Amino acid sequence: MIATYDKPGHEHVRDRVRQSHLEYLEANVTKVIAGGGFLNDEGTSVIGGLILLDVETRDEAQAFIDADPFTAADLFERVEFVRWRMSFLDFKRIFPVAAR
């Protein structure tokens, strides 16, 4: 999982680069399980985002976000990586083995 948090006051950067970012995700759709924006409390502005990514290593996740046009545009204040095991998808349990 990659969580990104925008720099304050950078909505104009997000708006300017959004189309390139979406094209990048579409070009890499075989790696993207899910993704979307974090909204402010009022639901009026995107303030970051979440990408559930299907890769094996942290280095692959880092390379993925490094190549994102939002990164090149210096949009992010911070980026967090968390290893994640999918257990449920599409309202179904898909990983029946007990967690280790």
Side-chain angles (χ1 to χ4, degrees):
M1 179 197 81
I2 303 172
T4 61
Y5 302 88
D6 295 0
K7 292 179 179 177
H10 277 62
E11 294 86 0
H12 64 287
V13 174
R14 175 174 284 281
D15 292 343
R16 178 175 48 84
V17 182
R18 184 174 185 270
Q19 186 59 41
S20 296
H21 164 74
L22 294 174
E23 289 169 3
Y24 173 71
L25 294 180
E26 186 67 34
N28 290 282
V29 72
T30 59
K31 295 179 184 177
V32 178
I33 297 167
F38 292 147
L39 301 177
N40 65 1
D41 288 341
E42 296 77 30
T44 57
S45 295
V46 179
I47 58 173
L50 174 78
I51 301 172
L52 297 178
L53 196 61
D54 186 17
V55 294
E56 293 296 321
T57 67
R58 163 74 187 257
D59 288 343
E60 288 176 278
Q62 184 70 58
F64 184 89
I65 201 67
D66 286 349
D68 188 313
F70 279 163
T71 301
D74 200 28
L75 174 63
F76 302 134
E77 180 175 56
R78 80 179 191 275
V79 176
E80 297 176 356
F81 298 87
V82 178
R83 288 190 69 94
W84 176 75
R85 177 186 305 141
M86 187 179 341
S87 297
F88 289 83
L89 181 66
D90 197 25
F91 307 103
K92 297 176 202 129
R93 185 172 182 178
I94 61 168
F95 189 75
V97 178
R100 291 179 245 158

